[in-house]
Amino acid sequence: DKYFSGIDIDLSKVLFVLRNDPSKVWRDKYPFFLSSILSKIYIKILKKINIVFCSKSLFKKYKTNFSQNKNCIIQNSVNITKNTSERRINTNKIKFLILSRLLETKNIPFLIKTFKNDNFFSKHQLYIAGDGNQKNKIIKMCKGTRNIFVKGHVHDVQRIFNETDILLSSSTTEGLPNSVLEALSNNIPCILSDIDQHNEIYEGIDTLKNLIFKNNKSIELIKCIKYLIDNENEVRANMKKVIKNFSVEKMVTSYENFYNKLCTNQNY
């Protein structure tokens, strides 16, 4: 293939970090028919290059599609905070947080509708931080509510972590969500939809698997929240174990090893 005005590029030597699901990435920008076409073109191009997958889930889904022998998995990471203060959930007024791009695949309307329609949430608060093409729709949905606050783009993420108790995500697809990793690093429990990438974060920890709910099921979401409240100490102890798997140091070492193998023409 030739690109860039006649410059000859050997795509077999191109390395690309895949941070989303190529079959779904275009859905947030284009109608279904067009997004399907773009996804097929995207996948066709990806087959010709070498890929670093940001999650085990993406690798498992596409390992037979992208058969280059230099593909590998290097999970997303986060700076692990050294905040030793013990947080506790104020069960009288829980402050829930959605920290996300405001896109269709994030499925935020489900959480808003649940918060508006279920009496369980009447005394609690929901903060929505982020920006995206669904922002106006979300603002309209929240109009007239007294306990849902759309914050828009937030520059000081640490501050909003300090002011909230539980992160919620009802995403229908992810790469490996940094917002979840950042929240866990800040000792904020995360209640997550049942997709492979969320399950990957809680992999092997049965206690935390109880914080995974069947998407679009309000009853399941509330069940997870009640489990967290009743088992907060055990949940927090296991959160500290999980986040160690996603340290920046581990990711940097993985990239160094991968690049060294590439430079010495070894298979990874």
Side-chain angles (χ1 to χ4, degrees):
D1 295 321
K2 292 187 177 182
Y3 300 95
F4 306 110
S5 302
I7 297 175
D8 195 9
I9 297 177
D10 184 355
L11 291 181
S12 67
K13 295 183 179 179
V14 174
L15 180 64
F16 180 75
V17 181
L18 189 66
R19 299 193 179 280
N20 47 47
D21 189 331
S23 68
K24 299 178 180 180
V25 65
W26 304 101
R27 295 183 186 178
D28 287 316
K29 296 183 179 180
Y30 302 103
F32 177 78
F33 178 72
L34 180 56
S35 67
S36 297
I37 294 173
L38 291 172
S39 293
K40 290 177 182 178
I41 295 172
Y42 186 32
I43 291 173
K44 185 176 180 180
I45 294 172
L46 290 175
K47 288 181 178 181
K48 300 179 181 181
I49 63 178
N50 303 293
I51 300 173
V52 174
F53 294 87
C54 75
S55 67
K56 298 176 184 177
S57 304
L58 287 180
F59 176 77
K60 183 178 180 180
K61 183 173 181 179
Y62 290 102
K63 62 182 179 180
T64 56
N65 296 73
F66 310 142
S67 58
Q68 290 283 341
N69 59 12
K70 294 177 184 177
N71 293 342
C72 77
I73 305 165
I74 301 178
Q75 292 171 304
N76 285 346
S77 70
V78 66
N79 281 315
I80 299 175
T81 62
K82 296 183 179 180
N83 185 354
T84 57
S85 61
E86 289 298 325
R87 305 179 57 150
R88 304 296 301 176
I89 297 170
N90 178 7
T91 56
N92 293 320
K93 182 183 284 188
I94 303 173
K95 294 182 178 181
F96 294 94
L97 172 64
I98 298 172
L99 180 62
S100 171
R101 290 175 296 161
L102 307 185
L103 305 175
E104 184 177 353
T105 55
K106 301 302 181 180
N107 197 27
I108 295 171
F110 158 69
L111 294 174
I112 295 172
K113 290 176 184 177
T114 300
F115 215 89
K116 289 171 65 176
N117 297 330
D118 198 290
N119 288 333
F120 175 85
F121 295 102
S122 60
K123 64 179 181 178
H124 305 305
Q125 296 178 335
L126 176 63
Y127 293 83
I128 303 172
D131 205 349
N133 58 24
Q134 295 285 300
K135 183 178 179 179
N136 290 336
K137 176 182 178 180
I138 287 170
I139 290 174
K140 186 177 181 180
M141 288 185 68
C142 298
K143 188 176 181 180
T145 62
R146 296 184 177 181
N147 59 344
I148 304 179
F149 308 94
V150 182
K151 308 294 286 185
H153 178 72
V154 175
H155 294 282
D156 190 351
V157 177
Q158 187 61 54
R159 180 177 178 179
I160 200 165
F161 279 147
N162 292 340
E163 295 175 349
T164 51
D165 299 302
I166 299 171
L167 181 135
L168 301 177
S169 174
S170 55
S171 290
T172 58
T173 181
E174 291 284 353
L176 193 68
N178 282 355
S179 60
V180 174
L181 300 180
E182 290 173 4
L184 292 172
S185 176
N186 282 274
N187 204 16
I188 295 178
C190 300
I191 296 178
L192 311 171
S193 56
D194 188 10
I195 59 175
D196 290 341
Q197 293 85 347
H198 286 158
N199 279 288
E200 180 175 335
I201 294 174
Y202 288 162
E203 187 175 26
I205 307 293
D206 290 339
T207 298
L208 298 184
K209 287 293 182 73
N210 288 300
L211 304 185
I212 299 285
F213 66 94
K214 188 173 182 179
N215 214 350
N216 298 313
K217 299 292 184 181
S218 300
I219 294 176
E220 294 292 321
L221 172 61
I222 295 170
K223 181 179 177 181
C224 289
I225 294 169
K226 290 181 176 179
Y227 178 87
L228 169 58
I229 292 171
D230 292 339
N231 300 274
E232 186 174 356
N233 290 337
E234 186 178 359
V235 167
R236 290 191 183 279
N238 281 284
M239 284 165 49
K240 292 177 182 178
K241 295 178 183 178
V242 161
I243 198 59
K244 291 179 181 178
N245 296 324
F246 302 97
S247 70
V248 167
E249 292 78 10
K250 181 177 179 180
M251 184 186 73
V252 170
T253 299
S254 296
Y255 270 107
E256 287 177 346
N257 292 338
F258 181 55
Y259 289 143
N260 285 335
K261 288 181 181 294
L262 289 180
C263 289
T264 54
N265 294 317
Q266 295 180 13
N267 290 338
Y268 194 77

